[in-house]
Amino acid sequence: MPSSVPQSPVTLADLAAEADVSLSTVSKVLNGRSDVSRATRAKVEALLEDHGYRRKGGAKSRLLELVFHELESAWALEIIRGVENVAREKGLSVVLTESGTRHAPSPEWVEGVIARRPVGVVLVFSDLAQDSRRQLEARSIPFVIIDPAGDPAPDVPSVGSANWSGGMMATRHLIDLGHTRIAAITGPEDMMCSLARIDGYSSALNAAALPLDRELIRYGNFHVDGGRDHALELLSLPDRPTAIFAGSDLQALGVLDAARQLGISVPEELSIVGYDDLQVAQWSSPALTTVHQPLIEMAEEAARMAVRLFEGERPNNLRLDLATSLVVRQSTAPVAAPVGSRGTGS
């Protein structure tokens, strides 16, 4: 029988003997200690995977770890609030970690989380690298991805939202107000949520028999400067749009700033729809019409799923998508006629 399919559960002593290292070295690797050479760590990790080793007893700390690639936006605060809500219910503390890119945390992060041994990990990324997944699974540390941004593998626990529907309802609202020249500033082109929102936008135009003008589609960065820079270009076109769907509230605030710079009044000459429904959306001037993405609820569901996995429960569905909805405020209005090639503002 090959070693990869043992007749009985492998012990740490078995692994140490097979790796030709001490039992304490295997323990150090399991606990994320840094005082092990890279070559030895790789050899032990390979044996852990080969034998399908799973640490019994699970995590010992009372921590729930939340990992972002950046912590500087109001968007992140909504996620933190949701995870904190569940942690409070369960008597846990939350550890915040900033690591990697928007696609995945850095490989070095795994060593730290192994050492901390949290109850579970909530990741705000598109996916988790296979090596990182295997290392967490070997230590019985469950993880769940909050996925407004990507498309994780089917066997990865994740919580997302209905991005296509959000893009559709935002654009349909503008069409219902009489707008026919509608621009869209979505997020980065390599993020699934950006593409899904544009697909919803395109579907709404198609359903209304309106042409899709690729010149009016821009890929931003979900931040204020991305919305401002693209809006300045769009609103300077000879036949400028009368409405802009921004793929985040922060980008919508950038569009508002661009309109002010160009002397274009909102919503009289330009309607704007944002996305996320952050608290700042209702305090902007004018208050933003936006697509409500249930960020707090998404974070709560992800945290609960992580705790259930730690407790030994296996959800029937590893993928959960929450509904989006339109919140109409003062940044949208019926299209004005006639519209000049450039607004004069007031």
Side-chain angles (χ1 to χ4, degrees):
M1 178 70 73
S3 63
S4 59
V5 189
Q7 292 287 357
S8 58
V10 69
T11 67
L12 294 186
D14 295 332
L15 289 169
E18 189 170 345
D20 194 23
V21 298
S22 67
L23 185 59
S24 65
T25 297
V26 175
S27 179
K28 287 178 181 180
V29 172
L30 270 173
N31 290 298
R33 292 271 297 275
S34 59
D35 52 340
V36 179
S37 73
R38 183 172 298 179
T40 299
R41 183 183 302 280
K43 180 164 62 173
V44 173
E45 290 285 1
L47 286 172
L48 289 169
E49 180 187 353
D50 186 43
H51 286 280
Y53 179 85
R54 296 292 183 271
R55 167 179 257 155
K56 293 180 173 58
K60 303 301 182 191
S61 73
R62 299 300 294 169
L63 302 176
L64 193 58
E65 184 146 349
L66 175 57
V67 191
F68 293 88
H69 82 277
E70 61 178 9
L71 282 167
E72 58 196 41
S73 74
W75 189 95
L77 293 177
E78 300 284 283
I79 299 293
I80 293 169
R81 186 174 292 114
V83 173
E84 284 276 10
N85 290 344
V86 174
R88 196 177 306 113
E89 291 174 8
K90 303 293 183 180
L92 303 173
S93 298
V94 177
V95 175
L96 292 179
T97 304
E98 189 173 23
S99 175
T101 69
R102 62 176 176 264
H103 298 292
S106 66
E108 294 77 19
W109 163 77
V110 177
E111 294 181 13
V113 78
I114 288 171
R116 287 184 289 275
R117 296 182 66 191
V119 165
V121 180
V122 176
L123 297 139
V124 189
F125 293 94
S126 301
D127 209 341
L128 188 62
Q130 284 289 343
D131 285 348
S132 298
R133 290 176 57 183
R134 286 192 290 264
Q135 291 179 64
L136 293 181
E137 288 165 357
R139 280 81 175 179
S140 298
I141 300 175
F143 64 92
V144 179
I145 290 177
I146 294 180
D147 170 43
D151 186 21
D155 61 337
V156 173
S158 63
V159 179
S161 67
N163 288 293
W164 181 89
S165 296
M168 164 75 93
M169 67 180 67
T171 311
R172 181 180 290 165
H173 170 66
L174 294 168
I175 292 170
D176 289 345
L177 290 172
H179 296 276
T180 57
R181 191 153 174 80
I182 303 168
I185 305 172
T186 190
E189 197 167 3
D190 61 349
M191 294 178 71
M192 289 297 294
C193 65
S194 304
L195 302 177
R197 292 170 195 177
I198 286 297
D199 284 346
Y201 158 86
S202 302
S203 297
L205 293 177
N206 183 62
L210 293 174
L212 179 66
D213 185 346
R214 292 288 175 185
E215 187 180 26
L216 298 183
I217 298 176
R218 304 298 169 95
Y219 292 91
N221 59 6
F222 285 142
H223 293 291
V224 173
D225 62 326
R228 180 196 305 114
D229 294 347
H230 285 295
L232 287 171
E233 294 177 4
L234 289 164
L235 296 174
S236 297
L237 292 172
D239 185 15
R240 66 171 175 82
T242 63
I244 295 178
F245 163 45
S248 73
D249 287 342
L250 296 181
Q251 287 190 154
L253 294 178
V255 175
L256 274 171
D257 187 45
R260 279 192 286 268
Q261 290 184 40
L262 296 174
I264 297 172
S265 58
V266 177
E268 292 80 8
E269 296 176 281
L270 176 70
S271 285
I272 302 170
V273 179
Y275 202 105
D276 288 327
D277 194 24
L278 302 178
Q279 289 188 356
V280 68
Q282 59 187 305
W283 302 116
S284 67
S285 181
L288 276 176
T289 294
T290 187
V291 175
H292 176 75
Q293 180 172 215
L295 295 172
I296 293 176
E297 292 86 348
M298 288 164 63
E300 289 174 341
E301 291 293 344
R304 288 193 185 102
M305 190 183 295
V307 173
R308 287 197 298 268
L309 287 167
F310 166 69
E311 293 171 344
E313 295 183 33
R314 181 74 174 175
N316 293 329
N317 296 311
L318 289 178
R319 173 67 184 185
L320 179 62
D321 279 313
L322 302 186
T324 50
S325 59
L326 185 70
V327 180
V328 179
R329 296 193 180 101
Q330 286 76 55
S331 66
T332 53
V335 65
V339 176
S341 62
R342 296 290 297 275
T344 58
S346 59

